[in-house]
Amino acid sequence: MEPALAAKLALLRDPAAYPDRPARVEVVETHMAWVFLTDRHAYKLKKPLRRPYLDFSTVAARGYYCREEVRLNRPLAPGVYLGVLPLTASGARLALDGDGEIVDWLVWMRRLPGPLMLDRLLQENRLEAWMLPALAAKVAAFHRQCAPVLADGEACRVHYRCWLDANARALQRLRNLWGGWDCRRLLERQRAFLENHRSLFDQRARSGCVIEGHGDLRPEHVCFETRGPQVFDRLEFNRDFRLLDRADEVAYLALECAWLGHAQAGLTFLAHYRRYSGDDWPPALLAFYLAYRATLRGRLLLTRVREEGQGRWLPRAWRYLALAAYYSRRLPD
């Protein structure tokens, strides 16, 4: 019988479980995983979840997605993703990378310095002049290596139409959590832009701008070491979530900078990205991607309120919806 989750977590919280015998273990819980931080390393245990968009419900599935996470992230974060380690059981004894039956899997990483994460640098006003150009150059180089997908304009529009419809359905279910935001209006403006400006999406698709990208490019997934920016946590659990316009990907980072109160940093990043990539999207398209991403982030946080019963997510969700309303108003008819 598979050991209880509580026993796995207890083992991984114990410094004696790790080969380098750290003085202590810090634990960070995310929506989909627990991350155990020692002095030098990070170990990620995926939660045994099943959702419409992911399936971590079995040991085999978690092992597969651990390997996928390492494979997908090594190009953008060289030297950070060290491999995958088994959690084993021999009788009642659990061990990290020990003998016995494999009862779970962990992603093994080099620990990155928290003070050098982009979100921390922005919040503490410690961003240096070289950082955003270096990040833009790295993301542009990565995008050049990504093969185009959805080269047909209609397929591209269907892709984004599905996301807009998913946002609309979810927000309808969550309407008692909207606060004072007119979500129907912003959703209508985004859908109208997609339908009335088809040529923009056709051109992006024909030009090879729709790629299999990072999928979750946010400031907390960027670390500035002396060797340059490390971009990590490329989304591994659903390939469809990595399919997006290059302009959508970089707009996501700009949106998150704006959400942190540093919109100018996001605009600076976009300007450098355009210079390094040669991409020349129209302002209206960027406004669409900013509005769509802000809506998506807001509804995901409202979903967490509904699922977890934690009202602390509400102010964050409303802040995203405020940005969604702002960018939606900038969309042409």
Side-chain angles (χ1 to χ4, degrees), residues 31 167 170-171 174 177 218 220 256 259 293-321:
H31 194 40
N167 284 345
L171 286 171
L174 299 163
L177 300 176
R218 293 187 278 152
E220 55 264 47
E256 293 298 308
W259 187 88
R293 283 286 170 181
T295 306
L296 174 61
R297 290 289 287 158
R299 71 101 158 167
L300 290 175
L301 286 176
L302 291 180
T303 300
R304 292 192 71 173
V305 174
R306 173 67 57 82
E307 291 178 352
E308 301 174 10
Q310 297 185 32
R312 65 190 177 97
W313 300 112
L314 271 177
R316 302 183 188 189
W318 291 340
R319 189 167 179 177
Y320 279 114
L321 294 178

Side-chain angles (χ1 to χ4, degrees), residues 4 20 25 35 46-47 51 58 60 74 81 98 109 113-114 139 144 157 164 167 212 240 273 287 294 322:
D20 51 348
V25 178
V35 182
K46 297 185 186 299
K47 292 182 177 179
R51 298 287 187 270
T58 67
R74 277 180 167 166
Y81 284 78
M109 304 168 63
V139 174
R144 283 194 295 271
R157 291 194 302 275
L164 296 184
N167 284 345
E212 182 182 344
D240 285 348
Y273 176 86

Side-chain angles (χ1 to χ4, degrees), residues 167-198:
N167 284 345
R169 289 192 300 270
L171 286 171
Q172 177 62 22
R173 292 194 299 270
L174 299 163
R175 58 190 178 276
N176 63 315
L177 300 176
W178 288 357
W181 301 108
D182 186 359
C183 290
R184 291 187 182 88
R185 178 60 176 158
L186 65 89
L187 290 166
E188 288 169 359
R189 289 195 64 83
Q190 291 170 37
R191 183 61 180 264
F193 179 84
L194 181 66
E195 301 303 332
N196 296 339
H197 297 270
R198 297 184 176 193

Side-chain angles (χ1 to χ4, degrees), residues 194-208:
L194 181 66
E195 301 303 332
N196 296 339
H197 297 270
R198 297 184 176 193
S199 61
L200 291 180
F201 297 91
D202 290 345
Q203 191 277 332
R204 299 295 291 176
R206 286 196 305 267
S207 300

Side-chain angles (χ1 to χ4, degrees), residues 148-164:
V149 296
L150 301 181
D152 173 70
E154 177 59 21
C156 177
R157 291 194 302 275
V158 167
H159 177 75
Y160 281 103
R161 192 178 298 126
C162 288
W163 279 107
L164 296 184

